[in-house]
Amino acid sequence: MDFEKLVKFNESNDIENIKNLIGNTKLKTSKTKKRSVIMVSGHQIKHLKKIPSLPADVIMLNLEDGVPKEKKEIARYNIAVFLSNTEKLNKEIVIRVNALNEGGMEDIKFLDDFEFDAFRIPKVNSIEDIDDVFMLTNKEIHASIETKEAFFNLKDLKHPKLTTFYIGIYDLLNELGINHSVISIDNPLIHKILSDFSLTSRYLNITPIGFVYQQYKDLEGFKKWCLLQKNLGMQGVGCITPAQCEIANKIFDEDIEFAKMIVERFERDGPFTIDGLYVDEPIYKNYKQIIE
């Protein structure tokens, strides 16, 4: 992929020449545990270039917040160039489009023919929003839960193509008129929001992803939030930096070898005790889920 030309054409806002860089390569991605999700905005060529080396499980190619209005169109074409000139990534690729009534439908129509894993839809309010997207794509659909309508009616957001939820805690609090100062690791209100979100997501068989910790230089604080969100049922979290990704990957990882041992021994011998843990049917099923 010729990043130098892409940078040059971006600097001169030369969309016609950017279009000529769109290739024919069919990108192959890999399914992951979704422990870490990092945002890469489509107008930032230097960040697109780093994608293969990023330690995140999921790369979120961003067209929404963080992309200036005057850069939306060129970001869309940059993403098309990247996808069509990349052969293989050991990550999942998700595209966060704009709100459906603010260009998101056009984003989906334009990018749907390229190879990647899913579209992430922001500001979802109802299942009708998901149905509208479903009419345009066969790809997986992910949804940002950041409006009060979506959060308090989460059980209604069930669809065969809807596989992942992301909790947008900052936007949700804004909608509820609650100051962000309540985002404290010991605050029961935040525990309730996160636990309600993760439990309902699991009930729907949808993967819950925790929120982004904005204090990206505070890695100790990030560790604490990762541990809390894991204990409240999250599958992974949003990340800002590679350092955050590495921490999330470690915290949200599971000891597969230990799980395999538990499953194999239970299936061979039935209930048993190991290191003070009594392994019966529910414990066995939990470790089997980890392996699967």
Side-chain angles (χ1 to χ4, degrees):
M1 181 172 168
D2 196 332
F3 281 103
E4 288 186 8
K5 281 187 178 179
L6 191 57
V7 169
K8 177 183 175 182
F9 297 148
N10 269 256
E11 288 174 348
S12 58
N13 205 38
D14 190 346
I15 290 179
E16 289 306 312
N17 268 315
I18 293 175
K19 289 180 184 179
N20 292 332
L21 295 178
I22 295 175
N24 297 308
T25 302
K26 299 294 184 182
L27 172 63
K28 292 182 180 179
T29 60
S30 299
K31 285 297 179 184
T32 69
K33 299 176 183 178
K34 294 184 175 67
R35 301 165 298 178
S36 54
V37 181
I38 195 166
M39 197 77 70
V40 178
S41 291
H43 70 298
Q44 297 282 8
I45 309 302
K46 63 179 181 180
H47 295 162
L48 291 173
K49 189 176 181 179
K50 293 179 180 178
I51 285 174
S53 64
L54 291 175
D57 279 353
V58 180
I59 304 296
M60 188 70 58
L61 294 174
N62 184 33
L63 289 170
E64 196 214 6
D65 291 351
V67 179
K69 188 174 181 180
E70 65 274 12
K71 294 288 186 180
K72 298 281 188 182
E73 184 179 17
I74 206 166
R76 187 189 290 170
Y77 281 105
N78 287 340
I79 288 174
V81 171
F82 174 78
L83 294 173
S84 63
N85 286 279
T86 305
E87 290 186 2
K88 187 176 181 180
L89 290 168
N90 61 339
K91 317 170 189 304
E92 294 181 51
I93 299 293
V94 179
I95 298 178
R96 183 170 80 161
V97 299
N98 289 286
L100 297 181
N101 62 348
E102 297 175 8
M105 301 297 276
E106 289 71 24
D107 292 336
I108 294 168
K109 291 174 185 176
F110 175 72
L111 291 166
D112 188 53
D113 288 338
F114 298 96
E115 296 297 323
F116 55 95
D117 295 284
F119 283 111
R120 175 176 170 179
I121 313 304
K123 299 176 177 65
V124 168
N125 286 311
S126 68
I127 192 62
E128 285 75 22
D129 293 333
I130 306 302
D131 285 332
D132 289 343
V133 174
F134 175 66
M135 297 299 291
L136 299 177
T137 182
N138 287 320
K139 291 184 170 64
E140 285 184 23
I141 301 173
H142 297 184
S144 297
I145 306 305
E146 54 195 343
T147 68
K148 55 188 178 184
E149 289 80 9
F151 181 78
F152 288 103
N153 297 284
L154 201 57
K155 281 187 179 180
D156 296 333
L157 297 181
K158 186 171 179 61
H159 191 283
K161 284 290 184 179
L162 187 54
T163 64
T164 305
F165 284 150
Y166 305 84
I167 182 72
I169 194 75
Y170 303 100
D171 286 316
L172 178 60
L173 291 175
N174 287 344
E175 283 227 339
L176 294 171
I178 299 175
N179 192 286
H180 292 180
S181 62
V182 302
I183 303 176
S184 167
I185 204 152
D186 297 320
N187 190 336
L189 174 62
I190 296 302
H191 291 197
K192 177 171 174 54
I193 290 172
L194 296 176
S195 58
D196 285 357
F197 168 75
S198 68
L199 284 172
T200 306
S201 299
R202 299 286 184 176
Y203 171 77
L204 296 171
N205 291 319
I206 291 175
T207 300
I209 303 296
F211 70 89
V212 175
Y213 182 61
Q214 301 282 37
Q215 306 299 322
Y216 64 90
K217 292 185 178 180
D218 177 16
L219 297 182
E220 286 303 314
F222 180 72
K223 286 179 186 178
K224 292 176 182 178
W225 277 107
C226 282
L227 287 167
L228 174 66
Q229 294 195 77
K230 179 181 180 179
N231 288 336
L232 293 177
M234 303 299 177
Q235 185 78 13
V237 293
C239 299
I240 296 175
T241 66
Q244 284 189 338
C245 291
E246 290 172 357
I247 291 169
N249 290 344
K250 185 175 182 180
I251 290 175
F252 284 92
D253 212 352
E254 299 285 358
D255 189 340
I256 298 300
E257 293 307 313
F258 182 77
K260 286 180 179 178
M261 182 274 291
I262 293 288
V263 168
E264 289 171 2
R265 184 169 171 183
F266 184 89
E267 291 179 347
R268 184 183 69 243
D269 302 329
F272 66 96
T273 299
I274 180 171
D275 297 332
L277 172 67
Y278 179 60
V279 180
D280 58 2
E281 186 78 17
I283 302 299
Y284 156 73
K285 286 182 178 179
N286 176 65
Y287 281 107
K288 192 169 184 179
Q289 283 180 342
I290 290 171
I291 295 171
E292 293 170 350

